[in-house]
Amino acid sequence: ELMESCRRNEKEVLALANQAPEGTDINYMADIIERTQNNHGMFTIYDLKLESVPRDDALSVLKKGPGMIKPNLAEFSQLTEMDKDMLRNDWDAIVHNARSIIKQNDIDLVLISLDKDGGILVDKNRAAHANAPEIKVESPGCAGDTGIAAIIDRAKKRGFNLRKLTDPQFKRVLSAFVAGGVATAA
């Protein structure tokens, strides 16, 4: 059903979470990313869920080169095997490590969700940080999911090609993510 939907919606954006459906092969996510990108020109956004999938399995998915990955800071620290608190205070280290992931896996964008500190978007040539406004957090659950949906919505409504973002579009993608996440958390 997923492949049929991708066939009907070629060159669209497909967002995936790391946990494969129960009963599927361990390579399910990697296969979906490869097939949808190669056969249907999809731009895949892969939302890492390292609390539910072993790091090595996640790394095998990254090797398929999804268009964008979206770890939160804890997941990014697990992915890079660096201390989360050190990374929170060293955005240069975040950018450096994100670029290493981009280069090693042929990924276009890495978006690190920093919860109350906003987010950092990185590609091979640019990096941007967006602060999150202070809010009363009612429920942080699914804020990253809403942020991803906001990116897809902004790109579709404004005709952005997520593979080839201009500098203003790059910043708008990041601001859409933060705004969507903040709206859900509030």
Side-chain angles (χ1 to χ4, degrees), residues 73-134:
L73 186 61
E75 293 160 341
F76 188 74
S77 71
Q78 291 173 355
L79 192 60
T80 60
E81 299 181 316
M82 297 188 72
D83 180 70
K84 180 178 90 169
D85 295 324
M86 187 281 302
L87 284 171
R88 183 174 295 281
N89 297 313
D90 190 349
W91 292 350
D92 289 337
I94 291 174
V95 171
H96 173 77
N97 283 284
R99 286 200 175 122
S100 292
I101 291 168
I102 288 167
K103 184 177 180 182
Q104 291 170 2
N105 299 289
D106 195 29
I107 295 170
D108 295 316
L109 301 165
V110 175
L111 174 59
I112 300 97
S113 174
L114 302 172
D115 53 68
K116 65 181 175 44
D117 293 324
I120 295 178
L121 181 61
V122 181
D123 71 8
K124 65 181 179 181
N125 299 313
R126 300 170 289 195
H129 171 257
N131 288 313
E134 284 191 39

Side-chain angles (χ1 to χ4, degrees), residues 34-54:
E34 183 174 48
R35 290 173 61 194
T36 57
Q37 289 185 152
N38 292 343
N39 298 348
H40 304 292
M42 307 288 286
F43 183 88
T44 55
I45 298 175
Y46 180 56
D47 188 0
L48 286 113
K49 303 287 185 204
L50 289 177
E51 72 276 359
S52 61
V53 174

Side-chain angles (χ1 to χ4, degrees), residues 168-185:
Q169 291 170 342
F170 187 81
K171 292 176 183 172
R172 286 186 189 112
V173 162
L174 179 57
S175 68
F177 173 78
V178 171
V182 166
T184 294

